[in-house]
């Protein structure tokens, strides 16, 4: 069975949505390890409460190459096949990405390529777009840039705040991340340049 490795930095609500679907059998995989780069990450506590293998590897003050090597070792130790970034607030080095070619997923709270980077929901409101959303993509060496697996659109309402919009996007994130994992596990696609073509 495919072994998932989840990397997170904070709240972990995307992780919890994935874990619910794994527990319910609607994702045909197991969560081999949940790694947090901040010891106080709520997602790590949630993983422990679920009886999952939760590992804290603090990143503070560590050189990126050294830190990423620690991550790769922990992922390999747990025989991870597919890495899911779920609110993991760090850039990954090229050497990390080469370890898992087209086997790292990320979720971003905008319709990429619009609004990459931090505070995507704030960026969308400030720009005045009428529709934003979320994207699950494979991770390559550029920020929020790899081939897109799935997106969901979310309307921006007149009286939206960053909090209200983020909450509405988050509901879609929880839905499409699991869907993207199912698609990645099924493997019924080919990658043509930037495009993922489903068979
Ligand atoms: C989500 O909005 C995700 O798109 C972004 O970081 C946030 C993480 O939320 N990458 P959570 O920790 O999964 O609740």
């Amino acid at each position: 069975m495919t072994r998932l490795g989840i990397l997170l930095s904070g709240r972990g609500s995307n992780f919890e949505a994935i874990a619910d679907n794994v527990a319910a059998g609607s994702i045909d995989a197991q969560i081999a390890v949940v790694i947090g780069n901040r010891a106080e990450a709520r997602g790590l506590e949630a993983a422990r409460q679920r009886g999952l293998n939760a590992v804290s590897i603090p990143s503070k003050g560590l050189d990126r190459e050294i830190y990423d090597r620690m991550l790769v070792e922990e992922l390999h130790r747990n025989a991870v096949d597919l890495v899911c970034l779920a609110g993991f607030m760090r850039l990954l080095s090229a050497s990390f990405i080469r370890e898992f070619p087209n086997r790292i997923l990320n979720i971003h709270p905008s319709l990429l390529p619009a609004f990459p980077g931090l505070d995507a929901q704030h960026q969308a409101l400030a720009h005045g777009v009428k529709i934003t959303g979320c994207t699950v993509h494979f991770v390559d060496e550029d920020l929020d840039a790899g081939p897109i697996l799935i997106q969901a659109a979310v309307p921006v309402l007149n009286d939206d705040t960053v909090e209200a919009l983020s909450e509405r996007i988050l509901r879609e994130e929880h839905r499409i991340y699991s869907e993207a994992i199912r698609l990645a596990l099924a493997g019924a696609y080919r990658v043509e340049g930037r495009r993922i073509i489903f068979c």
Side-chain angles (χ1 to χ4, degrees):
M1 193 183 273
T2 301
R3 296 173 66 82
L4 306 179
I6 312 272
L7 303 191
L8 53 75
S9 300
R11 182 177 55 184
S13 72
N14 276 288
F15 149 64
E16 293 219 71
I18 293 165
D20 285 346
N21 283 317
V22 167
S26 72
I27 292 177
D28 190 20
Q30 65 191 92
I31 297 178
V33 64
V34 179
I35 303 174
N37 71 316
R38 294 178 187 149
E40 69 281 9
R42 218 172 80 193
L44 277 180
E45 185 50 35
R48 280 185 209 107
Q49 280 170 11
R50 288 168 182 265
L52 294 170
N53 178 21
V55 179
S56 168
I57 309 182
S59 56
K60 204 163 180 195
L62 287 185
D63 168 82
R64 188 176 308 285
E65 289 293 334
I66 292 172
Y67 184 73
D68 283 9
R69 221 171 305 136
M70 292 163 76
L71 283 182
V72 165
E73 273 169 24
E74 189 62 37
L75 292 166
H76 284 331
R77 195 173 10 254
N78 287 283
V80 164
D81 308 296
L82 181 66
V83 179
C84 301
L85 308 184
F88 187 64
M89 305 303 283
R90 278 180 66 83
L91 278 176
L92 292 169
S93 59
S95 45
F96 182 103
I97 289 159
R98 274 197 301 271
E99 289 285 329
F100 298 95
N102 278 344
R103 303 302 284 167
I104 310 170
L105 297 177
N106 182 44
I107 184 145
H108 183 76
S110 75
L111 291 176
L112 290 171
F115 314 129
L118 292 176
D119 300 324
Q121 304 93 334
H122 172 79
Q123 292 185 55
L125 267 184
H127 194 91
V129 294
K130 299 299 184 199
I131 295 175
T132 182
C134 46
T135 302
V136 181
H137 62 93
F138 284 119
V139 172
D140 66 12
E141 293 176 23
D142 297 314
L143 177 67
D144 297 331
I148 291 170
L149 266 163
I150 184 167
Q151 295 184 297
V154 172
V156 180
L157 306 181
N158 284 340
D159 56 356
D160 256 342
T161 58
V162 172
E163 291 71 31
L165 179 59
S166 300
E167 176 57 37
R168 204 169 327 109
I169 294 172
L170 198 60
R171 283 202 288 275
E172 290 299 293
E173 292 186 41
H174 294 167
R175 184 177 66 79
I176 70 167
Y177 210 162
S178 290
E179 190 54 35
I181 292 170
R182 286 183 203 108
L183 291 169
L185 294 180
Y189 61 83
R190 60 182 193 279
V191 184
E192 282 183 9
R194 290 200 43 81
R195 299 185 68 203
I196 294 180
I197 315 287
F198 292 102
C199 316

